[in-house]
Amino acid sequence: MAPILAALLAITLWLFPVPPALAVVVPQPLGAIPGLSAVLAGDTPELGLQDGRLLPCPVTPNCVVSQGADPDHAIAPMAYTRSREEAREILIKVLGVVPRTEMVTQQENYVRVKSTSRLLGFVDDAEFYFPADEPVIHVRASARLGESDLGVNRRRLEQIRFALNDLGI
């Protein structure tokens, strides 16, 4: 209960800051509240490939996937014209400069990263699958917690797509 109360206090202070003349203690950034990041990070989900496909999204709107999704969760795969190995290497370089993103798994046909939000420390997981029989990168991204991610995962994947297109994959 204490982490929840600390989070509520921090959010209240963030929304309704104390004027500097009255402030005695400067509140810490929300992500710096002890224990809050661990609570908001959520548990690491079971992800990966199943029969050559990324897992489907749950019913919550905080997930997108390029394989077999309903219209609310669908996102296009990322096409490439170079070799599969070159596309994978360029993707890994792009992911290396995405803010607050950490590599979790790198395999020949699969890459997984996790991204942490700047403000509260929410964690999202993104997966990239390179099937051997088509020149595309299938993608899946989802928030670990909550009902909505306010479109963050879709926007992050579209920014990665834009960067890859700029690099001419």
Side-chain angles (χ1 to χ4, degrees), residues 10-11 13-14 25-34:
I11 291 168
L13 289 173
W14 182 66
V25 177
V26 177
Q28 298 177 0
L30 294 178
I33 296 173

Side-chain angles (χ1 to χ4, degrees), residues 78-80 82 86-95 128 130 137 139 157-169:
M78 300 175 186
Y80 59 88
R82 296 186 183 200
E86 286 177 305
R88 183 180 167 280
E89 287 175 22
I90 293 169
L91 172 68
I92 289 170
K93 288 179 183 177
V94 167
L95 292 172
F128 303 86
F130 297 79
I137 306 167
V139 295
L157 289 179
E158 292 300 348
Q159 289 170 341
I160 291 167
R161 179 193 316 275
F162 184 74
L164 291 174
N165 288 341
D166 265 5
L167 294 170
I169 74 155

Side-chain angles (χ1 to χ4, degrees), residues 1-15 28-37 39-40 120 122:
M1 190 65 162
I4 294 171
L5 292 176
L8 289 174
L9 174 62
I11 291 168
T12 303
L13 289 173
W14 182 66
L15 291 172
Q28 298 177 0
L30 294 178
I33 296 173
L36 182 61
S37 293
V39 171
L40 297 178
L120 290 172
F122 287 106

